[in-house]
Amino acid sequence: MLVAAAVCPCPPLLVPEVAAGAAPELDTARAACLDAVGVLAASRPDLLVVVGPGAGRSYPSGGHGSFRGFGVALDVTLGEPGSAAQESPLPDSLAVGAWLLDRARWAGAPVEGLAVDARHPAGECARAGEGLAARADRVALLVMGDGSACRTLKAPGYLDERAEAFDALATAALGSADLAALDALDATLAYDLKAAGRAPWQLLSGAARGAGLGGRLLYEDAPYGVGYTVATWS
């Protein structure tokens, strides 16, 4: 059963070494993410799964990620190093999650990863979440994903007038653990708005069914024209 979840954005700029001189601009978001990971640790899970947008595959403990593609000689490992370290590298979203866990000095349950395709239908996301929740008696999720990337003219997806309303709806649902509202997020609209968090969030909704968790919003903003939300479910 799902006992706790943390929802965090996944831009590589969250890593100070990647952001370089702009690092202080996301200090508040980083602090909120670390607080959210603390809620996961306090739940004492038997298994922690890091979920984020990617190519649609799982990553066992020991998966290796890197920020070298951003010009930074920084490598990360998902959980404890092991035989999986030489397999396919973690997608950026899971690499940021692995960095957060390392920054928080995660020393609790074993850690695995799951990348979810941005076009994955809501129903399939929910079923995948239900499967994750059944993996152990006490499962926790670190759910990585951004909102729309169309909040300003300088945003990666340019300005789309639908973006602010989409992000407001998603943030309210994440902050209150509103499963119905998350299930109702429009996958096509999310894809148009480059909201890569939609599929991971709907997976979280499936995992949380029957768990009776409550939500708490820790952070919401749109730096660089991209919607970032940090929330905890416990």
Side-chain angles (χ1 to χ4, degrees):
M1 176 178 285
L2 186 72
V3 294
V7 177
C8 296
C10 59
L13 287 174
L14 204 62
V15 179
E17 292 87 343
V18 175
E25 296 176 13
L26 290 180
D27 279 349
T28 303
R30 285 187 201 96
C33 289
L34 292 173
D35 287 345
V37 172
V39 170
L40 299 181
S43 74
R44 299 184 180 277
D46 301 317
L47 172 68
L48 171 64
V49 182
V50 183
V51 179
R57 55 158 294 178
S58 59
Y59 296 82
S61 182
H64 173 78
S66 174
F67 297 99
R68 294 177 184 270
F70 300 94
V72 176
L74 176 63
D75 301 317
V76 292
T77 301
L78 192 65
E80 294 295 326
S83 60
Q86 300 303 313
E87 295 193 5
S88 300
L90 301 173
D92 291 342
S93 64
L94 301 191
V96 174
W99 174 84
L100 275 175
L101 293 174
D102 182 68
R103 186 74 171 251
R105 300 182 182 276
W106 181 265
V111 182
E112 298 178 7
L114 177 64
V116 187
D117 190 279
R119 298 302 295 268
H120 216 46
E124 293 184 20
C125 291
R127 284 190 288 275
E130 291 173 354
L132 283 185
R135 290 276 311 280
D137 289 340
R138 300 181 63 81
V139 175
L141 298 182
L142 174 54
V143 182
M144 311 297 296
D146 300 341
S148 73
C150 303
R151 292 280 292 271
T152 66
L153 292 173
K154 294 184 178 181
Y158 196 64
L159 177 65
D160 190 312
E161 294 181 353
R162 301 171 294 174
E164 186 171 356
F166 176 89
D167 286 343
L169 182 63
T171 295
L174 293 168
S176 61
D178 187 335
L179 307 189
L182 286 177
D183 291 342
L185 290 176
D186 187 315
T188 300
L189 176 60
Y191 190 78
D192 289 346
L193 297 175
K194 304 184 184 302
R198 189 278 308 172
W201 298 338
Q202 290 183 327
L203 183 148
L204 167 61
S205 177
R209 289 175 184 171
L213 303 183
R216 184 163 69 99
L217 182 64
L218 303 186
Y219 174 89
E220 187 277 326
D221 202 355
Y224 318 119
V226 181
Y228 295 159
T229 299
V230 180
T232 58
W233 293 20
S234 61

